[in-house]
Amino acid sequence: MQIFPAQYSTLSATALQDFLPKKYDFGQISCKLLMRNVSDTYLLLSDSEKFIFKIYRVAHRSADEIRAEVELLTI
């Protein structure tokens, strides 16, 4: 079967739920897609903490713009 080119795709919340604890030191988490947009937003929940995980499109924002957004979210 030939793979058809995609213009837009969304990462699986279930796959992220398995991948992210291996990549980062989260322990057991649940993952839910909150918003599919120019940057997809996921909610990560552990037993004691909540995290927001965002996927940005290539060249949508610079590293400085992403850092500014994280700073605003932290405030």
Side-chain angles (χ1 to χ4, degrees):
M1 182 172 140
Q2 186 176 4
I3 296 175
F4 194 84
Q7 185 170 344
Y8 188 94
S9 61
T10 304
L11 299 180
S12 162
T14 303
L16 283 173
Q17 182 172 304
D18 294 336
F19 173 78
L20 290 174
K22 295 173 187 170
K23 186 72 174 172
Y24 304 97
D25 190 23
F26 281 131
Q28 189 67 26
I29 61 166
S30 65
C31 181
K32 177 182 175 184
L33 176 65
L34 291 179
M35 183 185 309
R36 183 179 153 241
N37 206 330
V38 175
S39 62
D40 297 340
T41 304
Y42 296 83
L43 174 63
L44 308 178
L45 296 171
S46 73
D47 289 338
S48 59
E49 296 182 278
K50 292 181 184 180
F51 303 94
I52 294 294
F53 184 76
K54 293 189 81 163
I55 303 292
Y56 291 90
R57 304 291 169 251
V58 173
H60 173 67
R61 290 206 174 154
S62 69
D64 286 339
E65 290 170 323
I66 293 170
R67 280 191 279 279
E69 181 178 353
V70 169
E71 185 177 340
L72 287 172
L73 288 170
T74 304
I75 292 170

